[in-house]
Every structure is written in structure tokens, then in C-alpha cells.
Amino acid sequence: MPSLATIARKVMGLPEPTTAVKPAAGSAPIPPQAADSLNPWEAAGAELSRRQNAALPPRSTPAPVVDAVPWAAVAEGSGARFVKKLGRGVLWGVVILAAITGVRSWFVPAKAPAPAAPPPARTGPVYPDAEAQAVAARFARAYLAWDERRAAERAALLAAVLPAGADSAMGWDGRGRQDVVTVEPGAVTAGAHRQARVRVDVLIQTPAAGASPAAPARWVGLDVPVVETGGRVVVSGRPGLVGVPARGPKTPEIPVPQVDAALTVQTTDAVTTFFKALGGGTLDTVTAPGAQVPPLPAGIEFKALSSWSVDTGTGSDRTGTAVVMWTLGGATVEQAYRVELTRVSSADAQRWQVASARGGSL
């Protein structure tokens, strides 16, 4: 197996050593046994150094020893000086900027100012809708009711809601007869210059004349122009007749509550007794303690409880729907009620009694 010295010589490209090495001029010979006893890497390095020294010309006198310095002075070119000046300028610029803006603002951004609150919207005075509806209703009743034998009465009623000096006939030719059964003021549509338009629904009827029977009553719409002036609302011009829908829109699908069948059967007699008393009887004994339900006036009689159902639920307060048949004016009519029940406890028993009843199915 080759020795480390052999491997080192092959790596460094040195020849194999001989038994006697001829020393170079001015150097001491190295015995073979001494070379073999050295570290192989040191031996190889010594051999390489010896050969390099042998190739140099001999020096007669040693070179004077001069204090060595770690660097040598090099003339600085114009490019290096420019870069140095530029770097110094940038550094001073950063220092000045930090002094002006503050170093903290570089890392903690300033909070954005809160947006200014918008100025309050300017709104004009609210239009007096209630007064406008009242004036339009009075005008509609007087305007659509005429009688050629009482023309002056109509003119006086109209003058009370018209501006001073206005034509109180309002386009009527002074003939015929028509009655107003009722008026229903509706929406008020405000316009410019304190003007508005009021919708009024009027139920009119032409009375019987001689052998002719009275015409059927019918609804008609009337758009009445009004204006607010001098602290009052007056009719500002002639109105216009408009149609009234013959029927209302289709209602949305309303969910029907689930029925508690057992409680419905249990409370049917109590509800029937209550409605009998509501039509002219005494309610104190059929209502829950503290309930205040006024009876119906004379002339309305209970006929039958058409239907009764209690909504599903829990607790001692429950609600149900009743359909009741009443007799009045020589006819029978069915009406719906929402009835609230409460469970009353006594020393010997519990029973359900009516706490309140309201018309309708809601």
C-alpha cells in the first residue's frame, strides 16, 4: 500500500526521491532518512520550495528589511471620487428628510382624517295633509251634490273652501239633482309652490224622480287641486272625475295556523256562551277576571257559532278563530273574530274563559 508521502508526491507532480539529494548552491543537503521521517505533506512542500529557490539567481546581499504596510497607496480616479460624493449627498439627504418629517412617520403611517359629516339636508315645511284632506272632502260633498231648486245652498257651501272671488258654480249648469252618500279622502300628492292634489272617493246616487226609481249608488273618484296660502288650505281650481277600481288586487298567500283539535272541542261551549252574552246578555260571568268586553247594541242577536278552532300552542293563554252568525236588520250575516282564551284556576277546578275578542281573522 503506498505511503502518504508517495500519494502527496503524485498529487503535486513531484518525482520519486533518490537516496542522495543534491543540494542547491548555498543550501544544506537534506539526508534521505530525514526527508522520509518528515510529514509527507511537509516533505513535499519543502521539496517544491527547494526547487523554486534553485531556479532563482543568487543574491549577493540580502535585501534590506523595510517596515511592511497592509495596503499600498493607489491614485483615486475621477469615477471613484464621484461615487463617494454621491453617497455622501444621499446620506445627508436622508438625515435632513428625517429631521423634517420625523423618523416615526416612516414606520407608523399617519391616520387618515375622518370624513367631514355631510351638511344636513334642507327640507321645506311639511305639507298639512290632514287639513288638505278635510278641505277636499268638504269640497267634494258640496261639489257633487246638486239640486236645481237649492242652487244657492250649494254655492254657499263651495264658497267656504274656495279663494275669494272664485266662481262658486264651478262649471255646473244649474240643472238636475244628485245626492252624495259619503266621501272618503285619500292620498295627498304635494307639488311646487305649496300646491297639492287630493284624491277623494265619493259615493253618489241619483234619487228617484216621479215614477223613476232611484239609481244604484256608485263610487267615483275626484282629484281636487288645493293650495296653502295665508295660513289656510283652499281649493285652487276645478277638480276632475277619475275612475275607481271595480275590485281589489289578489291577496298574497297567508299561512293557515295549525289547529289544536283537543282544546277546540274542550272550549267550544265556553266560546258559544260568550257570543250569546255578547249579543245582549251579561258578560261578567263568561269572561276571564279583569276582562273588559262591551256588549253589542240592541237589535243584534246571536244566531249560531258557525266554526271555532284553537291555534296550536302551549301555556295558559291561547288564541283561536270564531265565525259567528248574527241576525240584524232582518238579515243574517257571518262575521269572523280572533278570540283570546285564558285558563282560570279555582279551588276545585280549572276552566277556559274569554279574555278578549276582536273582529277579523288577524
Side-chain angles (χ1 to χ4, degrees):
M1 182 175 180
S3 63
L4 293 177
T6 304
I7 296 173
R9 282 193 297 269
K10 289 183 179 182
V11 171
M12 300 184 69
L14 299 176
E16 295 294 331
T18 58
T19 56
V21 179
K22 184 178 180 179
S27 60
I30 302 176
Q33 63 274 15
D36 292 337
S37 64
L38 297 176
N39 185 291
W41 296 103
E42 294 180 355
E47 179 63 20
L48 181 60
S49 177
R50 183 186 65 76
R51 292 189 180 191
Q52 290 176 350
N53 292 334
L56 295 175
R59 291 180 294 182
S60 57
T61 58
V65 178
V66 182
D67 293 338
V69 294
W71 62 83
V74 179
E76 188 175 39
S78 61
R81 288 196 300 270
F82 173 76
V83 172
K84 184 182 292 184
K85 291 181 179 180
L86 179 61
R88 291 175 180 174
V90 172
L91 179 60
W92 279 108
V94 172
V95 172
I96 295 172
L97 181 62
I100 295 175
T101 62
V103 178
R104 184 177 181 274
S105 63
W106 297 2
F107 304 98
V108 182
K111 294 182 179 179
R122 295 183 177 180
T123 57
V126 179
Y127 201 84
D129 289 358
E131 183 180 357
Q133 289 175 323
V135 169
R138 289 172 57 192
F139 172 83
R141 181 178 290 277
Y143 177 79
L144 289 178
W146 51 68
D147 188 342
E148 57 187 18
R149 297 172 299 178
R150 304 169 63 180
E153 180 181 338
R154 176 180 181 272
L157 293 173
L158 290 174
V161 293
L162 291 173
D167 177 19
S168 59
M170 295 297 288
W172 178 47
D173 64 357
R175 297 189 301 173
R177 182 181 175 187
Q178 180 173 272
D179 294 337
V180 170
V181 179
T182 186
V183 295
E184 295 293 337
V188 178
T189 305
H193 309 295
R194 307 301 293 167
Q195 299 180 92
R197 182 180 70 254
V198 184
R199 170 63 180 267
V200 183
D201 290 338
V202 186
L203 184 63
I204 58 176
Q205 184 178 37
T206 302
S212 301
R218 56 199 183 277
W219 285 100
V220 65
L222 192 68
D223 281 345
V224 181
V226 298
V227 64
E228 183 187 19
T229 179
R232 288 185 54 196
V233 175
V234 294
V235 177
S236 59
R238 294 182 181 179
L241 291 171
V242 293
V244 175
R247 59 183 59 86
K250 185 178 179 180
T251 59
E253 295 293 334
I254 300 175
V256 179
Q258 298 295 320
V259 177
D260 186 335
L263 188 57
T264 297
V265 174
Q266 182 181 349
T267 57
T268 298
D269 291 342
V271 173
T272 302
T273 304
F274 165 79
F275 280 107
K276 286 181 179 179
L278 185 63
T282 303
L283 292 168
D284 294 341
T285 59
V286 295
T287 55
Q292 297 181 354
V293 181
L296 294 174
I300 302 176
E301 297 180 1
F302 174 81
K303 183 175 183 179
L305 181 66
S306 299
S307 65
W308 165 245
S309 61
V310 180
D311 303 345
T312 56
T314 58
S316 58
D317 295 321
R318 305 290 292 275
T319 303
T321 301
V323 177
V324 182
M325 298 178 64
W326 299 104
T327 300
L328 69 160
T332 300
V333 293
E334 282 188 343
Q335 296 179 341
Y337 294 86
R338 289 289 282 174
V339 180
E340 294 183 3
L341 299 175
T342 185
R343 184 163 49 197
V344 180
S345 300
S346 60
D348 54 350
Q350 291 184 345
R351 64 184 184 278
W352 291 91
Q353 290 186 319
V354 175
S356 66
R358 61 183 183 273
S361 58
L362 178 60

